[in-house]
Amino acid sequence: ILNGKALDANSQVFAQRCFALGVELEKIEVVPDRYQAIADSVQQLSRKYDIVFTSGGIGPTHDDITYEAIGRAFGCDLRHHEPTMARMRRIMARRAASHARWTTPDPEGTPDQIACARMALFPEPATVIYPCDKYWVPVVCVNKNVHIFPGIPRLFDELVTAYLPGLVNRISSDAPQAFVRVLVGTQLRESAIAPVLEKLQARYAPMGIKLGSYPNWLPPQIQNQQGSGSASESGGGLTKSKPLVVLSAIGKDTQSLDACKRDLCELLEGFEIKNI
């Protein structure tokens, strides 16, 4: 990510999953593959936040150092986790027919087997959870709130989707309530709407609503509708022509959001954009 080779798909996925569960995502850090950089980051984040997720750096190669770096951060030794290696062997055996060169883990075996076993070399103590039965890859939790995930986007998405709801339920005293996003378009420029938007933010902040403005932007679903020529009032997309600015109101109280939407439309010559 830091050298531009890969796009950071996992951050968007994680933000979407948090939003759907009503979890406020406070910070995203991109950290280089250096022991001290990773250790410093997770230490600081773990002290400040209830939940810390990491993605990437848990493979079999020399630059996969996340487990060791997090172990150093919290003074943990590394130990091969036999249940994970057994799970790897069992699941890999089922795939052997289509993967003739598939390697099984063995800390005392050949170089490639040792490298494979490295993926089960976890900080200790740690909590090891398997959110998806079809994968051997676990989520490893260190220091009670640092949850270590793989970086492969498809795998990250499936594990987060399976793991996060239960985690939120365990640490929250109340049932999770999803955030709701309301979108309003306007043909006014940001400089023209800024004073009114500031007053509305002050009015609705006590109700837990956050306002934002985004010039020359539309939700991807509506962009796709426009591109295919199918966006229309009856189709639930745009109610007018493409807005110059899109206003976003995010909160959990739907009545307050409805009132905020009406004010945005009335005071800023706005029109609702269906957030499909």
Side-chain angles (χ1 to χ4, degrees):
I1 291 169
L2 291 176
N3 62 23
K5 180 179 64 178
L7 293 174
D8 182 10
N10 291 345
S11 290
Q12 184 180 32
V13 165
F14 187 57
Q16 290 170 341
R17 302 296 176 267
C18 288
F19 188 92
L21 291 169
V23 175
E24 188 132 11
L25 179 56
E26 295 281 351
K27 192 171 190 177
I28 294 174
E29 288 190 1
V30 180
V31 184
D33 293 325
R34 294 198 296 267
Y35 288 105
Q36 198 59 50
I38 296 170
D40 288 345
S41 177
V42 296
Q43 280 180 329
Q44 293 167 10
L45 295 173
S46 179
R47 284 194 297 264
K48 189 170 182 180
Y49 299 107
D50 296 324
I51 302 172
V52 178
F53 276 33
T54 74
S55 72
I58 61 171
T61 59
H62 71 282
D63 56 344
D64 290 309
I65 61 173
T66 297
Y67 287 136
E68 185 173 355
I70 291 177
R72 291 185 188 184
F74 300 110
C76 301
D77 293 329
L78 297 183
R79 296 281 185 273
H80 284 99
H81 191 253
E82 184 55 44
T84 295
M85 290 194 292
R87 190 178 175 93
M88 291 169 70
R89 296 184 190 106
R90 184 172 65 254
I91 292 176
M92 288 175 177
R94 295 203 298 262
R95 300 173 180 172
S98 57
H99 295 82
R101 297 176 60 85
W102 203 277
T103 301
T104 56
D106 184 351
E108 306 297 329
T110 61
D112 58 335
Q113 290 175 321
I114 294 171
C116 186
R118 191 166 182 260
M119 294 187 288
L121 188 60
F122 303 152
E124 188 180 74
T127 302
V128 180
I129 300 173
Y130 306 95
C132 295
D133 290 339
K134 64 180 178 178
Y135 298 125
W136 65 261
V137 184
V139 175
V140 179
C141 179
V142 179
N143 200 45
K144 297 183 179 180
N145 70 340
V146 177
H147 308 265
I148 307 170
F149 282 76
I152 299 170
R154 175 184 53 80
L155 190 55
F156 177 83
D157 187 358
E158 291 192 47
L159 291 177
V160 167
T161 300
Y163 181 78
L164 186 58
L167 174 63
V168 172
N169 281 322
R170 289 196 300 273
I171 69 173
S172 177
S173 56
D174 301 317
Q177 183 181 358
F179 285 112
V180 177
R181 181 186 288 111
V182 170
L183 300 178
V184 171
T186 180
Q187 300 299 340
L188 301 177
R189 295 186 177 278
E190 275 196 304
S191 55
I193 68 175
V196 176
L197 199 60
E198 184 175 1
K199 290 179 181 178
L200 288 176
Q201 178 62 87
R203 180 186 303 173
Y204 285 100
M207 305 172 198
I209 292 177
K210 293 184 177 179
L211 298 177
S213 64
Y214 305 91
N216 301 311
W217 174 84
L218 280 174
Q221 303 95 320
I222 296 178
Q223 289 183 24
N224 293 339
Q225 278 192 342
Q226 283 201 318
S228 64
S230 62
S232 67
E233 290 191 45
S234 61
L238 289 174
T239 57
K240 293 189 178 182
S241 59
K242 182 177 178 180
L244 193 62
V245 175
V246 173
L247 308 168
S248 167
I250 294 175
K252 296 182 179 181
D253 184 340
T254 54
Q255 289 186 336
S256 298
L257 283 167
D258 285 342
C260 182
K261 177 180 66 178
R262 289 193 296 270
D263 282 342
L264 289 170
C265 290
E266 180 180 341
L267 299 174
L268 297 175
E269 302 176 19
F271 50 92
E272 182 180 6
I273 299 172
K274 298 294 185 182
N275 190 23
I276 58 177

